[in-house]
Amino acid sequence: MIDIGYNATLVAIGAGLLGVAAGVIGAFLYFRKRSLMSDAISHATLPGVAIAFLVMVALGGEGRNLVGLLTGAALSSLAGLWLVHWINRNTRLGEDAAIGAILSVFFGFGIVLLTVIQTIGAGRQAGLESFLLGSTAGMLRADAYVIAVGGALALIACLILRRPMTLVSFDAEYAATQGLRPGRVDMAMMTLALAVTVIGLKVVGLILIVALLILPAVAARFWSDRSEVVALLAGVIGGVSGAVGAVISSLAPGLPTGPIIVLVAAALFTVSLILAPTRGVLAGVIAQLRFRHRVHMRQGLLALAHGHRVHEGYTLRLLRRAGLIRADGVATSEGQREAALAAQDERRWTVLRGRPEAATLAAHYDGLTPIDTVLTSDQLSELDRLMKNGTNHGHATNRRAERGRSDG
């Protein structure tokens, strides 16, 4: 077993709790289509960190107190969040334009302040640049406690508010009829995202914390269509990313913590993208191949039923592999039987689609679905009776026409 030390264990636990909270909250931001709002929140924290440092130094403090720095970051990001809402409400700019304007201005201002801080004696050893990409090297035990407790509290708040956030995310108008105020719920959601962003500054960094809010949610979405399952999986993926990334960073102190955590989250996202059973790339490729197989088999059997020769290479290979045609292209007895069944299925669909009262059932027709998976045995018997009556009626009509021609 790897011994990473007590402080590193605390950091890993804190990063794991932070990842769980970020994943769950990020899932609701994803449902609400507000994921990029976390980008504005994160970039707006930098001026607050710098100003908090300057204020603490001016008051005679050390300036590196994590609680003080995070308080400054929270106030700064609150100001950025309020400005985004104000611009969106009072100007013609959309939310995306407001986010771009605020994050660029706040981030630029923060970089200027960091440059100024580096020119003063206390600023050279402040280590504020670690808030850009995250770093756990030299983190105090008290700092690890702050991150762990903050992540746990954010997660608890998210669990308490999960029902109103779910309702507002999917149908704000219905949520309003249930007595909820969508505006307040949105603000609570943004506040939770702000809390996770501020708590995660030291571990992940303000540039990359947005990835911890987005990647677990979109990775979880590949595995389920149910919102509660997606939120749960996002929390698990975020927690694993945070804990594993922090452990790897502690074993290789020269590597920045934030990028390692994000790379772990990106790896889990890639696995989900490829291997998810219904939405993954591999599942899509397999489904496409199966669909192609069904189309060619169906068309090949219908061609055999009408006495036509099959010339398409892939269809020939499928029919031969299934033992439905011989090497010379002539149908085997099994192929004749399957072709007759395919032709009967197509005739049944033709009769069903011609009956207006069966429009709902006929809507299942796609040229591939067997009709006996849509209709009951009684319905099939009735359909066969209609087909037989229609055939007899057609023969009688032809006989009357022939008699009329002979009489003439």
Side-chain angles (χ1 to χ4, degrees), residues 13 217 243:
I13 294 173

Side-chain angles (χ1 to χ4, degrees), residues 177-208:
T177 64
Q178 299 299 305
L180 297 174
R181 296 187 178 182
R184 291 187 177 182
V185 175
D186 273 338
M187 187 55 64
M189 195 183 304
M190 293 300 106
T191 302
L192 287 174
L194 185 152
V196 169
T197 300
V198 171
I199 296 165
L201 286 180
K202 186 64 177 175
V203 178
V204 186
L206 64 90
I207 294 178
L208 298 174

Side-chain angles (χ1 to χ4, degrees), residues 6 31 54 74 78 102 119 130 142 164 178 212 219 231 266 309 316 322 349 359 365 400:
Y6 181 72
F31 296 150
L54 292 173
L78 272 175
I102 294 303
T119 63
S130 65
Q178 299 299 305
L212 199 58
R309 291 187 65 86
L316 281 172
W349 274 116
Y365 177 77
R400 286 195 297 269

Side-chain angles (χ1 to χ4, degrees), residues 114-154:
L114 285 184
T115 304
V116 173
I117 288 173
Q118 293 299 316
T119 63
I120 64 178
R124 293 171 187 170
Q125 303 298 323
L128 296 185
E129 66 279 356
S130 65
F131 285 92
L132 295 176
L133 296 177
S135 175
T136 57
M139 185 182 293
L140 301 176
R141 184 179 304 178
D143 297 342
Y145 277 125
V146 169
I147 294 170
V149 172
L153 290 177

Side-chain angles (χ1 to χ4, degrees), residues 230-277:
V230 172
L232 177 62
L233 288 176
V236 172
I237 294 171
V240 171
S241 302
V244 172
V247 170
I248 294 175
S249 178
S250 67
L251 296 175
L255 298 176
T257 308
I260 297 298
I261 291 176
V262 171
L263 286 177
V264 174
L268 295 175
F269 166 77
T270 303
V271 170
S272 302
L273 173 67
I274 296 174
L275 299 180

Side-chain angles (χ1 to χ4, degrees), residues 243-329:
V244 172
V247 170
I248 294 175
S249 178
S250 67
L251 296 175
L255 298 176
T257 308
I260 297 298
I261 291 176
V262 171
L263 286 177
V264 174
L268 295 175
F269 166 77
T270 303
V271 170
S272 302
L273 173 67
I274 296 174
L275 299 180
T278 56
R279 293 175 173 269
V281 173
L282 185 59
V285 171
I286 293 174
Q288 181 64 28
L289 292 175
R290 287 176 176 172
F291 177 76
R292 184 185 179 211
H293 178 276
R294 292 175 62 198
V295 169
H296 281 265
M297 283 292 290
R298 180 77 170 189
Q299 295 303 316
L301 290 173
L302 290 176
L304 293 178
H306 291 91
H308 301 154
R309 291 187 65 86
V310 178
H311 300 284
E312 206 282 324
Y314 181 66
T315 307
L316 281 172
R317 290 195 299 272
L318 289 179
L319 294 174
R320 287 171 183 165
R321 195 179 305 157
L324 301 179
I325 60 173
R326 300 199 305 258
D328 58 1

Side-chain angles (χ1 to χ4, degrees), residues 349 369-375 380:
W349 274 116
T369 303
I371 198 169
D372 56 9
T373 63
V374 177
L375 302 183
L380 286 174

